[in-house]
Amino acid sequence: METTDEALAQAAANGDREAFSLLLARSYDRLFGLCFRLMGTRTDAEDLTQDICAALPAKLVSFKRQSRFSTWLYRVAVNAAHDRRRRHASHARAADGWGDWEVNRVATDKEVQDGLDWLTQAMSGLSQDLRDTLALTLEDEMTHREAGEVLGVSEGTISWRMAEVKKHLRVLHKEEQKA
């Protein structure tokens, strides 16, 4: 019988390195995928995933088994992404005025990025709430209830957000077809 993620998390929180290693091996790809959808670039996703993994041993103490480990881990990832976005916005504001050249270079680099598919580009145009909702429900196949638990909102709010995402994507698709 395979040990559950929740049991591995508990053992890892108690200092079991093998349990932590196995838990990380099971969760890393899904965590990276979510980070990629939350951040929009591979580099940012790699950095965020590594930051989360480095902080995970200390954070595991706060895992109380009130939900599945994956739900708890996704909440950690969403919070870390929000923190990173806030820091990035603060740095951009600090660079404003004397750092116009760098801001323009970053904007140009962003426009030139290769390898982003249509959905990832469309997601970057969504509000933070809609993007987070789509990132959780799309590839990780979380139910609306589970996504609501991660984001701290009701299942109905998740359903409404998904309807808004669909509207946005339809409009974007029509605009691209006209162009």
Side-chain angles (χ1 to χ4, degrees), residues 159-175:
S159 297
W160 176 83
R161 286 180 181 177
M162 288 306 297
E164 291 297 307
V165 166
K166 289 174 185 175
K167 284 182 203 174
H168 176 79
L169 294 178
R170 279 188 211 108
V171 167
L172 186 60
H173 183 69
K174 285 180 182 180
E175 288 175 359

Side-chain angles (χ1 to χ4, degrees), residues 99-169:
D100 289 341
W101 180 86
E102 178 63 14
V103 170
N104 288 333
R105 185 190 67 77
V106 169
T108 301
D109 286 350
K110 201 169 203 175
E111 292 174 0
V112 177
Q113 286 178 4
D114 294 330
L116 294 178
D117 62 11
W118 183 85
L119 184 56
T120 301
Q121 291 173 355
M123 284 177 68
S124 69
L126 296 172
S127 70
Q128 181 174 312
D129 291 340
L130 295 179
R131 185 176 353 152
D132 293 348
T133 301
L134 183 58
L136 289 170
T137 58
L138 186 64
E139 289 183 29
D140 290 307
E141 300 175 4
M142 291 186 92
T143 66
H144 289 194
R145 183 187 55 75
E146 292 169 333
E149 190 176 323
V150 169
L151 296 174
V153 298
S154 72
E155 181 177 352
T157 299
I158 297 297
S159 297
W160 176 83
R161 286 180 181 177
M162 288 306 297
E164 291 297 307
V165 166
K166 289 174 185 175
K167 284 182 203 174
H168 176 79
L169 294 178

Side-chain angles (χ1 to χ4, degrees), residues 55-71:
L56 202 53
K59 288 190 177 290
L60 278 171
V61 175
S62 70
F63 177 60
K64 302 298 182 204
R65 297 180 83 164
Q66 295 171 343
S67 61
R68 292 185 333 196
F69 172 76
S70 60
T71 301

Side-chain angles (χ1 to χ4, degrees), residues 33-74:
L34 174 61
C35 289
F36 181 79
R37 291 187 304 279
L38 290 170
M39 301 306 295
T41 68
R42 182 175 188 82
T43 302
D44 288 341
E46 288 170 345
D47 289 346
L48 182 61
T49 304
Q50 289 303 313
D51 289 349
I52 292 168
C53 290
L56 202 53
K59 288 190 177 290
L60 278 171
V61 175
S62 70
F63 177 60
K64 302 298 182 204
R65 297 180 83 164
Q66 295 171 343
S67 61
R68 292 185 333 196
F69 172 76
S70 60
T71 301
W72 176 84
L73 182 60
Y74 288 169

